[in-house]
Structures are given as C-alpha cells and as structure tokens.
Amino acid sequence: KVPLIDPSLFLHRFFAKLKLKNEKILFFAMRLISRMKRDWIVVGRRPNNLCGAALVTASRVYGEERSVLEVVKAVRVSPHTINIRLKEMCDTQSANLTVSDFFNVWLEKEEDPPITKHKLKMVDDKTIESGMLTPTSDISEKDTLAIDENFLTKFDDSGTEESIDSDELECFILTKEEAMQKEKVWNSMYDNFLKERAVRASTRRREPKKRKPRETYDTVEEALRGVIKEKKMTNKINYEALKGLFD
C-alpha cells in the first residue's frame, strides 16, 4: 500500500519560490492543510495543488497576495485545478470562520468527501427538475421535503408500486394487423436506407486470394537456384557468385 504524502512537507519549498516573507502565511497554510485532511480534501489529490490553494488563501489573508497565475507557475498545475481546490474549501464549515476563530476553534465535525457532495448535488438537481421535489428555499419548516402528490399516488400503503391490470396492458400491445401496418410504414420510411445497406454489404464481400502452391525442392542446390530465379532478397549478395557455386 502506497502511503499518503503529507502536502505540508512541500509548503516551505513553494513558500520560498513565491518569495513570501511573512512566516504567518506559512503557518496559516499549514493549518489549512490540516483542515483539508480532516475534511477529506487531501485524499486522492496531488500535494502541489493542495499547497497552491493553501498559499493563495493564506497570502490574501495577510496582505502579501499572490495571484493564482503566480502560484500555478510555482507549483506547476493548471489554474482550473487551483480553483477547484478553493471551491472545495469554500464548501466546508471552516470557510465561515474568521481568521482568529480558524486558529482558535477546531471543528470536530468532518465534512463529506467532495465527490460525495457533488453526487448528492447532482441527485438533488435531477429530482427538483423532474418535479418530484421542490427547492429547499420553498420548503416550510414543518415539511422538510415537499413531495408531489402525483408521485405518491403511484404507491400503496406498503410502499410498493401498485400493479397494473391486464386490461390496461392490452391497450399497449399491438394486434397482428397493427404490427403489419407499422412494419409497412417503417419499410416505406427507410426503404432507401435498407437498399443502401444491402449494396454496401454485397460490395464488402471479397473472394479470398488464392495462394500459389509452394514449390518443393529435393536438394539444397535446387532450392538455392529457385530462390535466385524468383527474386533478389537484397542487393548486398552477389547472386552471380552464388550461381557459380554449383557449376
């Protein structure tokens, strides 16, 4: 098992590359890295982009600001990666603390991993778009989730979906006459396509190449003369001299 590399080990190097002078920036960045570990931001990420995000934040706090472009040149990552790390930090409860509280208060609660938050957000957005749930801003205090009545009517008291009667299913099944009529309509619509596909299939069929039968030789002399007669394998061989070997 490959051990996780502590990003704080690289902070001093990047701190020097950015020519930062205030050591409080370094301590603040180390505190940010520790908080990232607690909030599952470090796992699966390279140390350089974590250090870059921490130094961008710390330099802004203490007035010795380094832009994202300056930081990415030092840590050698893309600006997009740094912005993603900054956004993940903003989604934590620590982002709501002041600078003094951030040093003095250590939140015991761990945040969910960023990928988990992203997946949950995607599920919530799809659910809201489908009309099954309403946005949380419109939900009352009593009902934390407002579920569409039409959605509830699809389920019985036991929580299972109601069965559909056979009479209701029959209206979805085509008769033989309807199926034949539908097939005729489909063939008339895609007649040109079917003809083109048949032509392409016929042109692709190629007859296998007939291989020439191999000649058999009884002696080495016959084999050598046969090779010389058919073709020259390389220009570095004196074939005239080979012909005279067996004279």
Side-chain angles (χ1 to χ4, degrees), residues 109-123:
K109 181 183 176 182
E110 292 183 2
E111 296 283 342
D112 292 329
I115 185 63
T116 304
K117 293 181 179 179
H118 180 67
K119 293 292 184 182
L120 291 174
K121 187 176 183 300
M122 290 177 61
V123 171

Side-chain angles (χ1 to χ4, degrees), residues 91-106:
D91 291 338
T92 62
Q93 291 186 356
S94 300
N96 299 324
L97 300 175
T98 62
V99 176
S100 59
D101 290 340
F102 184 74
F103 274 107
N104 299 323
V105 178
W106 182 259

Side-chain angles (χ1 to χ4, degrees), residues 18 56 67-80 82:
L18 292 170
V56 168
S67 65
V68 174
L69 293 178
E70 290 176 316
V71 173
V72 298
K73 290 179 181 178
V75 300
R76 295 185 178 276
V77 294
S78 66
H80 179 67
I82 296 292

Side-chain angles (χ1 to χ4, degrees), residues 6 8 15 21 32-33 37 39 75-77 87 99 107 137-138 149 170 183 202 220-221 229 237 247:
D6 189 358
S8 59
F15 180 84
K21 298 179 180 179
L32 281 173
I33 294 294
K37 293 178 185 177
D39 294 333
V75 300
R76 295 185 178 276
V77 294
K87 186 178 182 303
V99 176
L107 299 176
S137 58
D138 299 333
E149 294 180 358
E170 288 181 358
E183 184 178 357
S202 61
V220 177
E221 179 182 354
K229 184 179 179 181
I237 298 176
D247 293 339

Side-chain angles (χ1 to χ4, degrees), residues 1 21 25 33 39 129 145 178 211 215 217 233:
K1 185 178 179 181
K21 298 179 180 179
I25 296 175
I33 294 294
D39 294 333
E129 289 176 2
L145 292 177
E178 291 173 340
R211 294 184 178 181
E215 296 184 11
Y217 304 99
M233 293 180 289

Side-chain angles (χ1 to χ4, degrees), residues 7 40-47 49-50 84-85 88 114-115:
W40 292 89
I41 299 177
V42 172
V43 179
R45 273 63 187 273
R46 293 185 177 181
N49 60 68
L50 296 167
I84 290 176
R85 296 291 90 80
E88 290 173 354
I115 185 63

